[in-house]
Every structure is written in structure tokens, then in C-alpha cells.
Amino acid sequence: MSSHANRGVVYRGAGKVNVESIPFPELALGNRQCHHGVILKVLTTNICGSDQHMVRGRTTAPEGLVLGHEITGEVIECGRDVEFVKKGDIVSVPFNVACGRCRTCKRGDTHICLNVNGDRAGGAYGYVDMGGWVGGQAEYVMVPYADFQLLVFPDKEQAMEKILDLTMLSDIFPTGFHGCYMAGVRPGSTVYIAGAGPVGLAAAMSAQLLGASCVIVGDMNEKRLDQARSFGCEGLDLKQDASMSELIEGILGVPEVDCAVDAVGFEANCHGHNHSHEQPATVLNATMEITQPGGQVGIPGLYVTEDPGASTEEARHGNISMKFGLGWAKAMSFHTGQTPAMRYQRQLMQAILRDRAPIGKAVNVQTISLDDAPKGYAAFDGGAAQKFVIDPHGQLA
């Protein structure tokens, strides 16, 4: 298979990505064979807000990194030890690289696998500090630990019919769901979602699946707020000059919600007339203000240990000014970290296949070619109310 050509989206410094020829993947990990891996022909691979942080130069991502951790593909080669995944299967790849053998994987915490990253717990494809795994914004990619990791779609024809929904299973749908689940969303809950980007919209749909009575999505981008409103959410324009409690009270009649989700992360801006001023902890502080005493906050939004583009020296090293005393006084719970995508994939797949979760419509999917990936990054960075899905082989048309 190594005679095949391959191309991928490569990070070339702040603000720049190129589509370049890259090596065709091999069933190898360094100098040893990867008998438990497979090679995929990539069917869809999505641009994520986490990718955008790197491309903006807000992480320590090295130049030359092949991007992409949201991967859906067709198996074209299996390693010797792969038993249950077959050539021709269409599969979703959880963005967490996980071995299935370590103690954290065995308890279901695949987002903090101990064996896939030499620097710290947890690995991911095409992402800074996450083990050096080659990303999947490419024509072909290698996936290790295939029997453990891959979610095989039960019917190939059905999978292709719903591919623009199923492609969200690799990351943002499980991530949004995890944020809501860990925030304690239950039937009848009132929920605040910070951010109307793709993860925030996925969280909003997840809150609805979990039975929330009212889902409020806050953002400063009117087109993204309209997208949230399109499937029954309350859109909250954060450019208004009022406290967060007042804004919530204007919708609910009371100044608090049952639970909240931070789908923004460290590149957050203040609300109100200072909305162009970056303040990394503003969403965390807002959720503490508006969440009921004893409530929970899910934090799937990304926070980093090093931010070269931060406005203060403290923030450059991941130190942000949280009002933690407020959260302590209110006996609140916070759940952070990447999402163990495998924990939710199968259930969410079933919701998609049975027409319970039109997630592609909710996040406003826009398919683009591999060659148009740089344009997709630029549009996303400009605030487009779309989720860009790359079609590397032109198979979706």
C-alpha cells in the first residue's frame, strides 16, 4: 500500500496551513510494527475549534504538524492482530488515541490513556502535546489499537446516507454530550451553554436529548445564535450591557440556571461593551455567577498549559484569574478535561441512525474539498456559522 500518494493539511506557523504531500501511512509505531492497527481511506475529516487554536498560534504546536483529529473512514488494510474490524468497514475514529490496556482505559477514561503519549496522560491525532500522532485531515491515516478504538457502522449504505451526521461522532457530538452529562443535565433542567460554535451547538442538542426544558446559548455572533435558535434554543446576545444574572433573568424570570457548560475555553472575550477584550476566565466566572448553589459546570472548552499569544504573562502559562472562592462558597462542581469519546459514541450513533439527532443540521455542515481546507480555516476563524467537513476523495458529491 505504501506506493499510494497521500496529501494532508499541514500547520506552517501562525495563521497558515497548506495542503501538502505527506508520507502514506504505514502499520508501524516508530521502529516497530503496529500489528494492532489499520489504515483508513478518509471519508470525512472535520475542522475543529481546537485545530483553530493551533492555527492562530495560540499553542506550542510545531510547524510541520499534520492536523486533524475528527476522522471517519473506510478500512483498506488491517494489521496481523486485528480480529474484529474488517477491510471495507466504515468506522468512526474517537479523537482520543487509547490503548485499551492501561488502568485508565480499563475504567473507561480513554481521554487520559497512560501509554500513548510520552509526556503526559492522553493522546490525540494531529494535536499539540498529545503524543505526536499524525493527523487525519488527509487522504489516508493510520489508526492503532483498532479492535478497541474503532466504532464500526452496522450498515455501509445507511452510514453513507447519514455520513454528515455520523462524522460528528469522532469528537464534537460526544464532547458536547459529555459537557452536558457532567454538568448534570436532567429532564426539566434549565441549561446555559457558553458559545454557539460547533461544540456549543452540539452541547445544546445534547441538552435537549437529555431532556432539558430550556437551553440558553450565549454568544456574540448573531449568525451563530440564529443557528442555535433554528433547533429550539434561546439565543442570548452577549454584547448587551447587563450582568449575566440579569440576562438569564430576562429569559427565565430567575437569575440562575440549574447547570452550565463552557464550550468556549481560553480564547474567551468579556461580554457587554468590552466584548472585544479577551479575558480567559470570563466564561468560568460567568458560569459560577449564574449556576444554582450546588450546581455543576461541564467544561469541554479547551484550556492550555502554554499560550504564546496570551495578553498577560500569567495567561501565557495557563494561569487565569478565576473567582474560585465564589464557586467554593456555592458548593459547585466543575468537570474539566478532554472527552472520553468512546463512552458515548455508540449511543449517539444509534440516536443518529434512528433520526433522533440531526446533529449535522444543528451545526450547519458545509462540505469542502481537501484543497479548500485553508479557505475553510479562514472562514471558520472569521466566525462562519458552519461546521466545515473535508471530503478528501470527493466521494460525498
Side-chain angles (χ1 to χ4, degrees):
M1 303 296 294
S2 60
S3 62
H4 283 54
N6 192 22
R7 296 188 305 151
V9 180
V10 181
Y11 173 64
R12 288 299 177 191
K16 189 174 183 181
V17 293
N18 292 337
V19 178
E20 302 178 10
S21 293
I22 61 174
F24 191 86
E26 297 181 351
L27 292 174
L29 295 174
N31 295 322
R32 60 189 174 89
Q33 291 295 301
C34 181
H35 295 302
H36 49 69
V38 299
I39 294 175
L40 300 183
K41 178 182 180 181
V42 177
L43 297 176
T44 57
T45 177
N46 316 328
I47 296 176
C48 181
S50 299
D51 300 320
Q52 199 71 66
H53 291 306
M54 289 187 290
V55 173
R56 289 187 185 125
R58 299 299 298 268
T59 73
T60 55
E63 291 189 28
L65 179 68
V66 180
L67 300 170
H69 56 271
E70 300 188 8
I71 310 164
T72 305
E74 180 181 1
V75 178
I76 61 170
E77 184 178 350
C78 294
R80 181 195 66 196
D81 296 340
V82 177
E83 293 187 71
F84 307 113
V85 176
K86 307 299 182 186
K87 184 176 178 180
D89 283 343
I90 295 179
V91 298
S92 180
V93 182
F95 76 94
N96 324 105
V97 185
C99 72
R101 297 156 169 82
C102 68
R103 66 177 186 271
T104 55
C105 281
K106 286 179 178 179
R107 70 179 187 229
D109 291 332
T110 54
H111 56 313
I112 44 175
C113 175
L114 302 177
N115 289 329
V116 294
N117 185 346
D119 296 323
R120 65 186 193 208
Y125 302 92
Y127 204 77
V128 59
D129 297 335
M130 297 304 288
W133 297 90
V134 176
Q137 286 176 14
E139 293 173 320
Y140 300 92
V141 69
M142 195 278 283
V143 175
Y145 311 107
D147 280 330
F148 175 66
Q149 291 201 104
L150 295 179
L151 175 66
V152 179
F153 299 136
D155 182 275
K156 291 179 66 173
E157 184 176 342
Q158 183 188 36
M160 291 307 296
E161 289 174 357
K162 292 186 175 291
I163 194 69
L164 295 181
D165 296 301
L166 295 171
T167 189
M168 304 305 159
L169 292 174
S170 57
D171 180 358
I172 68 164
F173 202 6
T175 292
F177 193 92
H178 180 66
C180 289
Y181 188 81
M182 300 311 297
V185 179
R186 301 291 185 267
S189 295
T190 58
V191 186
Y192 175 67
I193 310 288
V199 170
L201 295 172
M205 171 157 281
S206 298
Q208 292 176 338
L209 281 174
L210 288 165
S213 61
C214 182
V215 181
I216 302 169
V217 182
D219 206 294
M220 302 169 197
N221 183 322
E222 193 59 36
K223 290 183 178 179
R224 289 183 172 180
L225 288 174
D226 284 342
Q227 191 60 34
R229 296 181 184 111
S230 73
F231 58 99
C233 301
E234 295 280 351
L236 182 59
D237 183 358
L238 297 180
K239 296 192 299 294
Q240 300 176 76
D241 281 324
S243 71
M244 285 299 299
S245 296
E246 290 170 333
L247 293 175
I248 295 297
E249 187 169 15
I251 294 174
L252 294 177
V254 293
E256 64 184 20
V257 292
D258 295 330
C259 38
V261 176
D262 173 4
V264 177
F266 73 106
E267 284 194 70
N269 286 357
C270 297
H271 79 277
H273 67 277
N274 288 323
H275 65 268
S276 61
H277 175 64
E278 187 171 296
Q279 176 52 260
T282 190
V283 173
L284 297 173
N285 291 332
T287 59
M288 285 189 278
E289 176 188 343
I290 64 172
T291 303
Q292 65 171 334
Q296 297 165 235
V297 179
I299 310 174
L302 177 69
Y303 289 85
V304 294
T305 55
E306 299 292 333
D307 174 10
S311 58
T312 68
E313 186 62 29
E314 285 292 294
R316 288 189 185 97
H317 302 290
N319 300 322
I320 58 179
S321 300
M322 281 182 66
K323 298 178 181 179
F324 193 74
L326 175 61
W328 190 94
K330 293 177 73 174
M332 295 178 62
S333 300
F334 304 90
H335 195 93
T336 68
Q338 294 191 8
T339 297
M342 289 177 64
R343 189 178 298 174
Y344 309 102
Q345 277 189 313
R346 184 168 297 279
Q347 300 95 311
L348 295 176
M349 175 190 73
Q350 291 171 169
I352 289 170
L353 294 179
R354 295 188 178 277
D355 298 320
R356 293 291 306 279
I359 184 65
K361 183 178 180 181
V363 301
N364 196 20
V365 164
Q366 174 67 47
T367 59
I368 59 175
S369 68
L370 185 63
D371 288 322
D372 282 339
K375 294 179 182 177
Y377 271 96
F380 192 26
D381 191 47
Q386 295 171 310
K387 174 68 172 177
F388 290 99
V389 173
I390 300 171
D391 175 12
H393 296 276
Q395 291 184 263
L396 305 189

